[in-house]
Amino acid sequence: MSKDTEIDMKEVELNEMDPEKQPMTGHGQAAGGEKNGSVKLKVPEDEVTFTGLSKEELMKVAGTPGWVRTRWVLLVLFWLGWVGMLAGAIVIIIQAPRCKPIPDMSWWNEGPLYQIPDVKAFSSDLKGVEAKLDDINQLKVKALVLGPIHAVQPNQLATLELQKIDSPLGTQDDLKAVLDKAHKKGISVVLDLTPDAKGSAPWFNDNIDDVMEKVKAAAEYWLNLGVDGIKLSQLTVATNSTDWSKLRAAVQGNRTDDTKKRALMGVVEGISAPEVSRLVNTSGVDLVLSDLLSRNDGGVERIRDMDSLSSEQRSVGWGLGAAQKDHLSKLATSLGLIRLYQLLLFTMPGTPVFTYGDEIGLNATEDAQVIWDIEKEPSKEAPKNDAEAVRTERVAIRKWFKDLSDLRGKERSLLHGDYYSLYSSASSLSFLRLWDQSERYVTAVNWGSQAKTFTLKLAPIEGVELPESAEVKMSTDPDLAENSPVSLENFTLGAGHAVLLHFPYIA
């Protein structure tokens, strides 16, 4: 290609460029053959680099008054900032609300107790109890209350063998297997040593000191085997023995923080709430289970009893029929009421105590096998009848029980929180549970035959206030849906229904 052709091609390329990007030119050329507007730059062949100041030059500059003042200003600003942040942190710590110290809790306060008074009816024998522990553990129970399982003929003191297991129920090795498996699952085991539980007089109406001596020896024997506590019926009779203090020492021993506490549990019937309180404070027993909830069926009376015993909540057990070893269904005559009383027991100030089968509403005439069969789905060919409807409802009741048990174990307000009564009537009641800065809970139950309108009011208490509304946490009433807001000044609860409300702590 010729030189003229190369020049022509370059001119074409320049003509095709964006006018704004083309070189600035005039219509003519200046002298010397250069185009107007062209600028020539001389680029040095060697690149110039900045090497900075030498050490000697820096030392000269650093010593000047200007740099000395600058360094002092920066140093002062740093320390002022540091001191300011420290002071701010101290102010925040001082002004922040103090956390309330957690009360001294024992294992019998941490969850529901599950009593099996009739091992034969429950699972035939102790091996059956061991086999059922996986299912029992799903209920989040903290302890089993077994028996009595010792050998005795009703009303015959001469046949009393408190250190021997009644042979149809199993052997000592069987009991040890129950203890080992339960402990691995975090479940304690309490043994009922009521001497003549099936007789007309639990303490034989004879020389109680002689019987108490046998109970003390048996308590030491079974506790050494690994049992975690002892239960006795007719506590008011037992505490009249001159050897009562010896039994207490045998069970409770020298308690230290390094060892698991062993519990002494007593049952009382037919006494008032103030008498229960007195017994708690004078007998030294760890947990008293009373029949107050079963005996007093009015809301006003039940609230009064809770008011009397709320300060003793870590030593009081509540049950509906549990003191008499009855099922919940004996007094809660419908599956709807079973849910209601489960919610009430799990949220009351104290330890909830249930008899086996209460988690599904089992009644005394039914075989305990029903407890384990309800999870079995019927075949597709099976007819949809009333029995299947009941089974489905019982599955839902068992889930309700498990959810309540799980909630109580997680929420400090329900586990050991303060209690305040809010409302009561002949067939309904409501109360508040709260702890420090934790979530607060309001229980409202209506076991009557008519819907009830609740107007909740809290007596003036420093630092405790009710909000205008709360949110539904759990409910048996279809008109009070979960997570829906409810006015605490006026809401209606259907007949035979219960609701658990919650609201946050506000500083």
Side-chain angles (χ1 to χ4, degrees):
M1 183 181 294
S2 65
K3 185 174 182 180
D4 294 337
T5 304
E6 289 178 2
I7 294 172
D8 292 339
M9 292 294 292
K10 290 182 179 180
E11 288 178 354
V12 170
E13 290 176 3
L14 286 173
N15 291 334
E16 291 177 352
M17 290 178 63
D18 190 315
E20 294 180 2
K21 297 180 181 178
Q22 294 184 18
M24 296 174 61
T25 60
H27 294 287
Q29 290 184 338
E34 294 183 359
K35 296 182 179 181
N36 292 338
S38 297
V39 179
K40 286 188 175 182
L41 297 176
K42 185 178 181 179
V43 181
E45 296 180 358
D46 298 330
E47 184 179 355
V48 178
T49 58
F50 178 72
T51 58
L53 299 177
S54 66
K55 181 178 179 181
E56 291 75 12
E57 291 172 327
L58 285 173
M59 292 301 295
K60 290 179 181 179
V61 174
T64 60
W67 278 108
V68 171
R69 284 195 301 271
T70 300
R71 288 202 303 274
W72 273 108
V73 169
L74 292 175
L75 181 64
V76 170
L77 288 175
F78 168 79
W79 283 109
L80 285 177
W82 187 89
V83 171
M85 288 188 294
L86 178 62
I90 294 173
V91 170
I92 291 173
I93 293 172
I94 293 175
Q95 292 184 344
R98 300 272 180 170
C99 290
K100 195 173 182 180
I102 301 298
D104 182 23
M105 300 287 289
S106 302
W107 55 261
W108 55 85
N109 304 128
E110 295 174 353
L113 307 187
Y114 191 83
Q115 62 178 16
I116 307 173
D118 190 341
V119 172
K120 185 177 181 180
F122 176 74
S123 60
S124 298
D125 54 24
L126 290 170
K127 289 183 178 179
V129 174
E130 181 191 0
K132 300 294 189 295
L133 279 172
D134 290 329
D135 293 312
I136 294 172
N137 188 47
Q138 293 180 12
L139 303 176
K140 310 291 184 181
V141 301
K142 291 301 179 183
L144 296 182
V145 183
L146 286 178
I149 60 173
H150 56 262
V152 64
Q153 295 296 317
N155 302 314
Q156 297 183 38
L157 177 59
T159 66
L160 179 63
E161 296 182 89
L162 288 169
Q163 297 180 36
K164 179 182 177 182
I165 297 174
D166 194 16
S167 56
L169 301 180
T171 66
Q172 181 173 301
D173 288 340
D174 295 333
L175 177 60
K176 189 67 170 66
V178 171
L179 294 173
D180 291 343
K181 188 171 182 179
H183 290 161
K184 288 178 182 178
K185 296 181 178 299
I187 300 174
S188 301
V189 179
V190 176
L191 196 60
D192 191 333
L193 285 184
T194 303
D196 192 22
K198 296 181 180 179
S200 57
W203 290 86
F204 289 106
N205 284 339
D206 288 314
N207 187 337
I208 191 173
D209 288 341
D210 291 342
V211 178
M212 183 62 72
E213 180 60 32
K214 293 183 178 182
V215 171
K216 172 183 169 293
E220 292 173 331
Y221 179 80
W222 295 117
L223 290 169
N224 287 334
L225 187 70
V227 168
D228 302 294
I230 300 299
K231 174 191 172 187
L232 298 171
S233 296
Q234 285 199 356
L235 183 63
T236 50
V237 175
T239 53
N240 287 329
S241 169
T242 56
D243 289 334
W244 171 251
S245 60
K246 295 180 181 179
L247 176 63
R248 279 187 56 199
V251 176
Q252 297 169 336
N254 296 320
R255 292 176 170 175
T256 65
D257 294 335
D258 299 330
T259 58
K260 181 179 179 180
K261 292 181 180 179
R262 299 183 298 189
L264 182 56
M265 178 179 175
V267 181
V268 293
E269 297 180 52
I271 67 175
S272 66
E275 289 174 310
V276 172
S277 178
R278 180 191 61 78
L279 196 60
V280 166
N281 290 300
T282 59
S283 68
V285 73
D286 294 303
L287 191 70
V288 175
L289 172 63
S290 77
D291 65 340
L292 286 169
L293 196 61
S294 307
R295 190 157 36 89
N296 298 328
D297 60 359
V300 176
E301 292 79 10
R302 286 173 169 175
I303 278 288
R304 179 197 62 203
D305 292 341
M306 280 190 278
D307 288 346
S308 297
L309 294 173
S310 61
S311 61
E312 313 286 352
Q313 63 173 292
R314 286 182 289 282
S315 300
V316 173
W318 294 98
L320 192 70
Q324 306 93 322
K325 302 176 183 177
D326 290 332
H327 292 286
L328 189 62
S329 60
K330 186 173 182 178
L331 293 176
T333 54
S334 70
L335 294 181
L337 287 176
I338 294 292
R339 291 196 193 201
L340 181 151
Y341 281 111
Q342 286 177 353
L343 188 148
L344 179 62
L345 287 167
F346 272 114
T347 58
M348 290 172 70
T351 299
V353 183
F354 297 93
T355 301
Y356 74 87
D358 285 351
E359 69 271 25
I360 66 165
L362 187 76
N363 63 60
T365 63
E366 292 180 293
D367 193 310
Q369 188 60 35
V370 173
I371 302 171
W372 324 115
D373 289 344
I374 63 166
E375 297 288 351
K376 296 179 180 178
E377 292 286 348
S379 63
K380 294 181 179 179
E381 295 77 19
K384 300 293 183 180
N385 52 27
D386 291 343
E388 173 57 17
V390 171
R391 188 198 71 83
T392 302
E393 176 65 12
R394 280 180 159 174
V395 170
I397 291 174
R398 188 170 186 267
K399 182 180 184 304
W400 174 266
F401 182 100
K402 290 165 62 176
D403 290 345
L404 283 167
S405 186
D406 186 56
L407 182 67
R408 184 185 185 275
K410 293 178 179 177
E411 292 294 334
R412 290 180 176 178
S413 292
L414 298 177
L415 190 59
H416 51 70
D418 299 326
Y419 155 92
Y420 301 98
S421 57
L422 299 175
Y423 177 86
S424 64
S425 71
S427 59
S428 63
L429 59 83
S430 179
F431 55 85
L432 169 68
R433 300 296 306 280
L434 61 87
W435 180 259
D436 198 24
Q437 302 172 44
S438 299
E439 193 82 356
R440 282 95 195 281
Y441 288 87
V442 172
T443 294
V445 293
N446 172 24
W447 58 88
S449 58
Q450 302 292 328
K452 191 70 181 178
T453 298
F454 285 72
T455 301
L456 305 185
K457 294 182 180 180
L458 181 65
I461 301 171
E462 184 178 355
V464 180
E465 293 183 359
L466 277 181
E468 293 182 357
S469 64
E471 193 174 90
V472 176
K473 181 69 175 181
M474 300 177 70
S475 173
T476 67
D477 191 334
D479 292 332
L480 297 175
E482 188 175 322
N483 299 324
S484 63
V486 173
S487 170
L488 298 184
E489 296 180 356
N490 190 303
F491 70 91
T492 300
L493 187 59
H497 284 295
V499 64
L500 182 64
L501 310 173
H502 68 122
F503 60 92
Y505 165 79
I506 299 176

